[in-house]
Amino acid sequence: MKRKIVTATTEIRTKERSHLLGLLRIRLMLLKNESVTTDDIFKSLDSWISSRESLINSEIN
């Protein structure tokens, strides 16, 4: 039973990572199409990551 739970949890995390990477790719392509600078891309990504972390932390609490 415990093994099934661990397997299910691992599968869920893998799918979530894939989903997040897909979102990240979309975000990067949008920024690239806007012809923003490299610094702006990094700032945007930092903001996006912080936002995701805040969302995850608020869901946990």
Side-chain angles (χ1 to χ4, degrees):
M1 179 72 172
K2 188 174 181 179
R3 187 176 192 176
K4 287 183 181 181
I5 293 171
V6 170
T7 302
T9 302
T10 302
E11 289 176 12
I12 291 168
R13 288 182 180 173
T14 301
K15 288 180 181 181
E16 183 178 354
R17 281 188 205 110
S18 296
H19 179 69
L20 288 174
L21 285 174
L23 291 174
L24 182 57
R25 284 188 190 105
I26 291 168
R27 181 81 173 155
L28 285 172
M29 291 305 297
L30 290 172
L31 291 170
K32 187 177 178 182
N33 289 339
E34 293 176 13
S35 300
V36 296
T37 66
T38 304
D39 285 341
D40 289 338
I41 290 173
F42 284 119
K43 286 177 187 175
S44 178
L45 291 177
D46 283 339
S47 173
W48 185 79
I49 290 167
S50 294
S51 176
R52 293 290 306 171
E53 288 173 343
S54 295
L55 178 66
I56 291 168
N57 288 333
S58 68
E59 288 175 356
I60 291 172
N61 297 326

